[in-house]
Amino acid sequence: MLDGYEMYELTQPWSQDTPAWPTYDNPKVWYEKSLDTEKVNGQKIEFMNHTGTHLDGEKHFVASGRDIESVGLDELVGDGVVADVSDQVGDYDVYTSEMIEEVCDVREGDILFIHTGYQQHAWHQEDADPHRYFCKHPGPNAEFAEWCLEMDLNYLLLDCGSADHPMNTVIRDVRPELAAEARDHLGVDDLDEIFPPEGYQLMHTELFPEGIIHVENAQVPEELLNERVQIGTFPWRFRGGESSVCRCVAFKER
């Protein structure tokens, strides 16, 4: 199978302990049937689409956007590149298109995996720190979103909780003490200087209408950093779905 290619896992494990995006309900998993009574195991699950590794679809933010079923496999599998900016960014930092272009050969129409290094803080890791993972990770501003459009990127994958900077999400409002911490770190009196209200969650609101969607909560092995690969994302064939849990895989020639 796939002679000449090595496959790499880009997906977090999924369980009832996988945290959902902050302010969303965490998953529930239980046995509706079990071997000791019905002689068969049968589980039920209840969860938000935005739990673990998942594909944000256009319909997540755009009423007229495509559902998950409408995103073809020919769009979800293709040429990609992994950009490692982990040594350039830390808590609350803003990454730029220049950082991406400095570390990898990104091309027009690529699938782009942005490795911030925050996958090390994901719930299943030895250094798990979901608070830092979801609320303090680095992210982009308007410059980066405009570059994504200019590059006509296929879609993006992130190794952190959101494609948007946490201070350009609801976290800024529900955690005012973190907003103060971010202001100090970024050297501004008002976060609107970097993340103006008209650009709120711009990686969703400005890119989704143009068909550039993204995978959040992915991960990537060290040997693929700054490498060109083939990437495939495989969500449910979810008719009406605004987003979907998914399996992501990288394929690299041996």
Side-chain angles (χ1 to χ4, degrees), residues 2 160 170 194 197 220 230 232:
L2 293 173
C160 53
V170 69
I194 302 174
V220 65
Q230 300 285 308

Side-chain angles (χ1 to χ4, degrees), residues 6-246:
E6 190 79 26
M7 286 193 293
Y8 295 86
E9 183 68 75
L10 304 181
T11 318
Q12 290 185 7
W14 199 100
S15 83
Q16 65 182 5
D17 296 321
T18 305
W21 166 253
T23 75
Y24 286 9
D25 288 340
N26 286 326
K28 303 174 183 67
V29 181
W30 68 96
Y31 281 89
E32 190 71 10
K33 293 182 178 294
S34 60
L35 285 169
D36 57 346
T37 52
E38 286 92 359
K39 299 182 180 180
V40 60
N41 279 331
Q43 292 175 313
K44 271 191 175 181
I45 58 175
E46 179 182 312
F47 67 98
M48 299 290 293
N49 285 334
H50 307 270
T51 305
T53 306
H54 65 276
L55 176 67
D56 274 3
E58 294 174 21
K59 201 173 182 67
H60 181 34
F61 269 75
V62 183
S64 60
R66 294 180 299 168
D67 64 7
I68 291 297
E69 184 189 34
S70 301
V71 183
L73 290 175
D74 58 336
E75 296 179 63
L76 294 172
V77 180
D79 294 333
V81 65
V82 180
D84 176 21
V85 297
S86 62
D87 62 350
Q88 302 182 65
V89 292
D91 290 356
Y92 302 123
D93 284 339
V94 175
Y95 55 74
T96 66
S97 61
E98 184 178 1
M99 291 180 185
I100 301 293
E101 292 178 324
E102 282 178 353
V103 297
C104 69
D105 175 26
V106 59
R107 302 171 188 173
E108 187 173 336
D110 267 346
I111 299 168
L112 174 62
F113 192 121
I114 303 171
H115 173 67
T116 66
Y118 275 62
Q119 66 186 45
Q120 69 179 321
H121 304 305
W123 70 276
H124 62 292
Q125 301 287 8
E126 184 177 346
D127 295 327
D129 186 347
H131 177 244
R132 189 175 180 191
Y133 177 84
F134 283 113
C135 300
K136 297 188 177 188
H137 64 80
N141 64 7
E143 179 276 331
F144 189 82
E146 291 167 4
W147 175 79
C148 290
L149 291 170
E150 291 171 4
M151 292 293 291
D152 192 25
L153 295 178
N154 187 344
Y155 63 93
L156 298 100
L157 301 93
L158 292 302
D159 72 336
C160 53
S162 176
D164 273 299
H165 193 288
M167 292 300 113
N168 202 24
T169 73
V170 69
I171 291 171
R172 175 173 166 183
D173 298 320
V174 300
R175 297 294 304 276
E177 78 282 12
L178 297 186
E181 192 174 276
R183 286 197 303 271
D184 289 343
H185 176 77
L186 294 168
V188 294
D189 295 325
D190 190 334
L191 288 169
D192 282 357
E193 296 176 39
I194 302 174
F195 308 110
E198 62 270 20
Y200 181 68
Q201 287 197 277
L202 54 83
M203 295 298 288
H204 297 75
T205 58
E206 295 189 13
L207 298 191
F208 284 14
E210 304 302 323
I212 303 177
I213 55 180
H214 55 245
V215 173
E216 295 168 328
N217 302 321
Q219 61 185 33
V220 65
E222 185 175 346
E223 56 265 39
L224 294 186
L225 298 181
N226 299 327
E227 294 288 327
R228 290 200 60 81
V229 293
Q230 300 285 308
I231 293 177
T233 292
F234 306 100
W236 290 348
R237 190 176 177 184
F238 192 176
R239 185 166 297 181
E242 49 87 13
S243 298
S244 175
V245 294
C246 60

